[in-house]
Amino acid sequence: MPHTFRTHARSPARMRSLPLLAAALTLALAACSDGNVKTESGAPARPQQAWNDAPPPPPLSSTIPRDVSVPQSDPNLQDLQDDFDLFSWQSFVAVNWPAGPDGNPQSGATIGPDVPTVWENWKESREIFLPGGATPPPWGQDTPPPAVCKGLGDATLRLTQVGKTPNVLDESAEPFETGPLIDQNGQYVRFAILTNQDMFDNIVGNGLYSKAGQEKFAKPANFALPKGSPKVGAIMVKSAWKVMGAGDDAKRFHTAKALVYTNPGEHEGVQAACKLQTVGLVGLHIAHKTQGEPQWVWSSFEHVDNAPSQGEPIDKAHYNFFNKSCTTCQVNQPPPRPWNPNNSYTQPTQVMRAIPLTDSTKRLNATYQALLNKNHPGTVWANYQLISTQWPTNPTNPIDPLGNPAPTFLANTTMETYIQGRVPKGSSSCMDCHNDATMHNGRPADFTYLLQRAQ
C-alpha cells in the first residue's frame, strides 16, 4: 500500500457554511452546462484558488491524500468544488504511480512511463468473492485465472466483465438502462473493479465475502476508519479498457497486457473464451471513503479522445467512441441485441458527453496535463482528464443520507454511457445510485454494490 499523509482538516468555516449553501450548490452545479457557476447571490464565483493566480497545485506525489484540503478561510461554492477536484487529481497521480515488486510505489520512480501502476496490484473483485463463499487468499497472493485462460501467458490484469457491474449482458444487476459499450473497431469494452488493502481487510475481517458471513455479521457494512486512524481508508477503483486495434495509437494510452475473459455465466448461449490482449485505459472511477466524507468522494477520469461533448466543437481527428462520418448513428444507445462479446464485430456505440466539463475543471486538467508532461515529456498520463468530482456538501445532514451531493449528476461516458443527463432518479449520480446498495441480508452496504457479489 502507498504511504499516506493527512492533509489540512476541513475548516470550521466550511462546516458552518455548508448547511447554508447546500441547496444552492445542488442547483448551481446541476445547471451549469457552460461552467459558469454562480454563488448564492448570483454573482460570478471568485477566481480559482489553486491554479490561476494563486500558487500552483502541490508537486506530483505517490502519496494518496487521506482527505480533501480546504485552505480557504471562508470558501464559496466554486472554491469547494475546486478543492475536491484537486483532491481527485492528487489521487489519480498517486494510484497511477509506477509500482514496485511489492505493489507499492516504486522507490526512486516518478509517474510518467507506461508501466504497471499501484492500483493494478490491488484486489480484483472476482478474487474476493469466490465460488461457494470461499475465503479469499491473503493480500498479495493471486487466485488462479479461469481455466480457459491458463497457459496463455503472463498478464498484468484479468478483465472479466463487459460492464462496470457483473451480468450486464442480461441487465440483472444494473439499476438503470444499460448495455455493453462497443468501440469504433466493433470490439467490446472490458471492465474491472479493484479494492485497496484497507477495503479488502475490512471485507475479509468481517466475513463479508460470503453470504453466510454477511448473515453472521448481521449489521450494516461500515468501511469508515476509527477516528485518528493513520490509514488511507477504503478505496475502490473501477476501470474501463478497450482492446488496441486499427486506428488506435497505443502511445496515447496507458496500456496493459490483459487476460480478456468472456464469462459464460453472464448470458445464456455465450461460450467461455479468453485471449491475451493489449488493452488501453479509457475510463477510471476512484471512490474513496474519507474520514470527512462518509458518502465517499467519487472522482471520474477518462481518456481525452473518448467522445465529444454536446454543444461543443467536434474537432478531433479520431475518437474512441464516436464516428464523425456517421450522420444516422443514434447517440448514447446500446447496440442491438443479441449481445455476445465473442462476436468478431459488433455495431459501434455512438457516444457523446451529455454534460460538458466546467471551465474550472478544464483549467485544472490543463494544469495537471502540463505538470505531467513537464515531469516526463510525452507521458501517456497527460492524455487523461478529470470529468468531475462528486462529494457531499453536508455529509452529516440528518434528513438526507446522501449529504446533498454536488454536482447533482456525474457520468463517465465509458461506465454510465446510457444514463447520462439531468433526469432525477434516472440519470447517473454516484451517491444516489450507491446509496441503495445492500448486502444479501438486506442491510445497507455502505455505498458499494460489491458486497452483492458474495456467494
Side-chain angles (χ1 to χ4, degrees):
M1 284 288 298
H3 299 293
T4 59
F5 71 97
R6 178 169 294 282
T7 58
H8 295 75
R10 295 190 299 163
S11 69
R14 177 188 173 199
M15 295 300 292
R16 290 196 302 271
S17 64
L18 285 180
L20 299 176
L21 298 175
L25 178 60
T26 298
L27 293 174
L29 291 180
C32 109
S33 61
D34 62 357
N36 296 318
V37 178
K38 307 293 183 181
T39 59
E40 282 184 292
S41 63
R46 292 202 304 263
Q48 283 64 48
Q49 52 84 19
W51 44 91
N52 285 343
D53 299 326
L60 303 177
S61 172
S62 63
T63 301
I64 299 176
R66 292 186 190 171
D67 212 332
V68 65
S69 174
V70 179
Q72 306 94 340
S73 60
D74 185 20
N76 65 17
L77 305 179
Q78 186 63 62
D79 287 335
L80 293 173
Q81 185 67 52
D82 291 346
D83 293 337
F84 277 89
D85 285 351
L86 183 61
F87 171 88
S88 292
W89 260 112
Q90 290 176 293
S91 300
F92 180 85
V93 168
V95 300
N96 285 302
W97 207 266
D102 61 357
N104 290 323
Q106 183 176 340
S107 177
T110 186
I111 187 170
D114 185 20
V115 295
T117 66
V118 169
W119 71 266
E120 289 168 340
N121 286 270
W122 293 355
K123 278 285 187 182
E124 203 272 328
S125 61
R126 293 188 188 275
E127 295 184 291
I128 302 173
F129 305 99
L130 301 175
T135 303
W139 184 262
Q141 181 177 326
D142 296 331
T143 57
V148 71
C149 296
K150 291 181 179 178
L152 294 181
D154 295 331
T156 301
L157 295 171
R158 299 175 192 169
L159 301 179
T160 63
Q161 297 177 212
V162 293
K164 75 167 186 175
T165 58
N167 306 316
V168 72
L169 294 182
D170 62 15
E171 302 181 318
S172 63
E174 183 68 43
F176 304 109
E177 179 185 12
T178 187
L181 174 61
I182 313 299
D183 70 11
Q184 288 300 295
N185 292 321
Q187 301 302 301
Y188 278 65
V189 171
R190 304 295 182 128
F191 300 82
I193 303 177
L194 292 86
T195 75
N196 72 342
Q197 188 170 0
D198 285 348
M199 188 166 183
F200 173 79
D201 287 347
N202 183 299
I203 292 171
V204 175
N206 290 314
L208 304 182
Y209 56 83
S210 70
K211 291 181 179 179
Q214 292 179 11
E215 288 293 339
K216 183 178 179 181
F217 189 65
K219 53 187 176 183
N222 182 11
F223 290 99
L225 290 173
K227 188 175 182 179
S229 171
K231 297 181 178 181
V232 69
I235 301 176
M236 293 181 288
V237 170
K238 302 180 181 182
S239 59
W241 303 80
K242 75 180 301 294
V243 176
M244 293 288 94
D248 297 325
D249 182 358
K251 296 188 297 295
R252 290 184 57 79
F253 295 82
H254 168 55
T255 59
K257 284 290 187 182
L259 291 172
V260 179
Y261 171 63
T262 298
N263 183 2
E266 290 200 358
H267 189 65
E268 183 178 355
V270 173
Q271 301 299 312
C274 190
K275 295 180 180 179
L276 180 65
Q277 295 178 299
T278 299
V279 294
L281 182 68
V282 291
L284 197 72
H285 274 332
I286 306 171
H288 188 170
K289 176 94 171 182
T290 66
Q291 294 215 7
E293 286 73 36
Q295 295 87 356
W296 305 60
V297 178
W298 305 83
S299 310
S300 195
F301 289 82
E302 291 185 34
H303 196 276
V304 295
D305 295 337
N306 276 356
S309 296
Q310 292 178 350
E312 296 188 350
I314 302 175
D315 53 7
K316 289 183 178 290
H318 171 78
Y319 291 96
N320 298 322
F321 305 106
F322 184 83
N323 181 357
K324 296 169 61 174
S325 301
C326 185
T327 59
T328 59
C329 292
Q330 288 188 302
V331 173
N332 300 338
Q333 294 297 314
R337 291 178 180 272
W339 297 334
N340 188 342
N342 292 330
N343 290 343
S344 60
Y345 181 86
T346 300
Q347 178 180 306
T349 309
Q350 186 80 333
V351 179
M352 292 194 78
R353 190 180 314 285
I355 301 177
L357 277 62
T358 66
D359 291 342
S360 178
T361 302
K362 290 178 181 178
R363 286 191 289 267
L364 180 60
N365 286 339
T367 298
Y368 262 92
Q369 288 158 354
L371 282 173
L372 289 162
N373 263 321
K374 182 179 179 180
N375 184 64
H376 188 96
T379 177
V380 298
W381 297 113
N383 297 321
Y384 292 88
Q385 61 183 356
L386 174 68
I387 305 308
S388 191
T389 312
Q390 192 176 59
W391 52 282
T393 65
N394 186 6
T396 57
N397 188 333
I399 61 173
D400 182 4
L402 300 183
N404 302 99
T408 305
F409 304 105
L410 175 58
N412 188 299
T413 62
T414 68
M415 301 185 203
E416 293 90 23
T417 313
Y418 310 118
I419 54 171
Q420 300 181 70
R422 295 187 175 92
V423 179
K425 298 297 182 181
S427 296
S428 177
S429 168
C430 303
M431 292 183 191
D432 197 6
C433 173
H434 285 260
N435 180 53
D436 295 331
T438 60
M439 296 186 286
H440 283 282
N441 59 11
R443 296 180 182 272
D446 196 5
F447 288 86
T448 175
Y449 285 96
L450 276 182
L451 302 181
Q452 289 188 357
R453 302 188 179 194
Q455 299 184 38

